[in-house]
Amino acid sequence: MRIFLRHPLPQALALLVVVLAIFFALQAILAAALQIGAENLTPALGLVLGLAGVAAALITVPLARRMEGDSLTGVGFPARNAVRHLLGGLAVGGAIQAVVFGIMAVAGWYTVSEVAVDVGSLATMTLLALCVAFWEEWAFRGVMLRLPEKAIGSWWALVLSAVVFGLVHAPNGNATALYLFGVSVTGVFVMGGAFLLTRSLWLPIGIHTGWNLVQSSVFGAGSTGAGAISETPLLRGHVSGPEVWTGVPGVPESGLVLMLVAAAVGAVLFVLAARRGHIRPPRRETAAATV
């Protein structure tokens, strides 16, 4: 078993299973203990459930360090530039959503009927978005991208992590095939590209946080993961347009507008990562090059 777990692919699979098992088990325990359901899911209760993901990550990061014999920096959490990357990611994630909804507004597909300021709801949703981003980026970029790329290279690892990322989102409400494809595109191009650029999880965590927060709590479009939460968004937004472009109601990730913007941002990130020499070839190619 120890020999088996020395290979990056089994390591990634084992760690992902442990992360998900802890997350879902803790969520089930909390939901049962506090009687949390879709009918009473407030931002505060959503945050309680989100903390289950944080706990799963905090338990498995030390496990990964021991398994790999590496430091926090080595597993994706360097102290250097952590705050700068996190805040920069928040700005990038928010900007992506602003561009998406700006395009839809210009096209007449997004309108606002009311502005409502609920500081408590916004603050709680910000913490929830950060919790979700923290554990998901650890699981899908820190585990399912960082480890596999040691064996199969960056490009194939990106594809693998994106597929797994999409499949894990399949149980979400309104998770159509286009949504799962859009989530996979997001994982490959934006969050994956951000990790490859910096070799740090702080930038993708920031982007993921800003992405979910601005989409749901600012523009009021919701997301399938947090769609049942009875929050008060800043803007009472309404999307009405061709679903192939805007996505199905409440699911902007299933529309071409968001997919194309995400792909454009990701392409820039990939180019910058390649210029820094951060794209890894498959292990066999590396070995052949050194012969």
Side-chain angles (χ1 to χ4, degrees):
M1 177 61 72
R2 289 184 178 180
I3 295 176
F4 177 74
L5 289 177
R6 288 176 185 172
H7 191 276
L9 289 177
Q11 285 179 344
L13 180 60
L15 281 172
L16 180 66
V17 169
V18 174
V19 171
L20 294 179
I22 295 173
F23 171 64
F24 288 119
L26 287 177
Q27 272 213 337
I29 292 170
L30 289 169
L34 300 175
Q35 296 184 334
I36 301 174
E39 68 283 351
N40 67 340
L41 190 54
T42 63
L45 291 176
L47 177 58
V48 171
L49 295 180
L51 290 173
V54 175
L58 293 178
I59 291 170
T60 52
V61 167
L63 181 61
R65 289 185 60 193
R66 183 171 181 177
M67 184 183 293
E68 300 174 54
D70 213 336
S71 63
L72 275 175
T73 298
V75 299
F77 291 106
R80 183 180 181 183
N81 294 325
V83 174
R84 182 167 69 90
H85 285 159
L86 187 61
L87 294 178
L90 281 167
V92 171
I96 290 173
Q97 292 292 353
V99 169
V100 169
F101 283 93
I103 292 172
M104 291 195 293
V106 170
W109 300 334
Y110 175 75
T111 57
V112 176
S113 61
E114 183 183 352
V115 178
V117 180
D118 186 330
V119 176
S121 177
L122 185 60
T124 305
M125 292 302 294
T126 299
L127 292 175
L128 174 57
L130 181 59
C131 288
V132 171
F134 180 75
W135 87 263
E136 287 194 356
E137 289 311 309
W138 162 244
F140 300 108
R141 255 59 66 180
V143 173
M144 289 307 298
L145 171 56
R146 182 184 59 84
L147 280 170
E149 74 165 341
K150 294 180 180 180
I152 60 177
S154 298
W155 299 124
W156 284 114
L158 280 166
V159 173
L160 176 62
S161 65
V163 170
V164 175
F165 188 54
L167 290 176
V168 170
H169 283 74
N172 289 348
N174 298 325
T176 63
L178 275 176
Y179 164 75
L180 296 179
F181 178 75
V183 166
S184 298
V185 167
T186 300
V188 167
F189 285 96
V190 182
M191 266 63 92
F195 173 75
L196 293 182
L197 175 63
T198 59
R199 287 290 158 185
S200 165
L201 291 170
W202 297 118
L203 183 60
I205 288 172
I207 293 174
H208 198 147
T209 302
W211 180 289
N212 286 349
L213 179 67
V214 173
Q215 179 188 96
S216 177
S217 302
V218 175
F219 289 108
S223 66
T224 57
I229 295 180
S230 56
E231 64 171 312
T232 304
L234 182 64
L235 304 176
R236 296 286 185 179
H238 306 277
V239 176
S240 59
E243 289 188 355
V244 67
W245 289 102
T246 64
V248 298
V251 192
E253 285 86 355
S254 62
L256 284 178
V257 173
L258 190 148
M259 290 186 205
L260 292 174
V261 172
V265 172
V268 173
L269 293 172
F270 287 153
V271 169
L272 294 175
R275 288 181 177 177
R276 292 187 181 184
H278 288 181
I279 305 298
R280 293 182 178 178
R283 178 181 286 178
R284 61 179 181 275
E285 292 185 11
T286 303
T290 58
V291 173

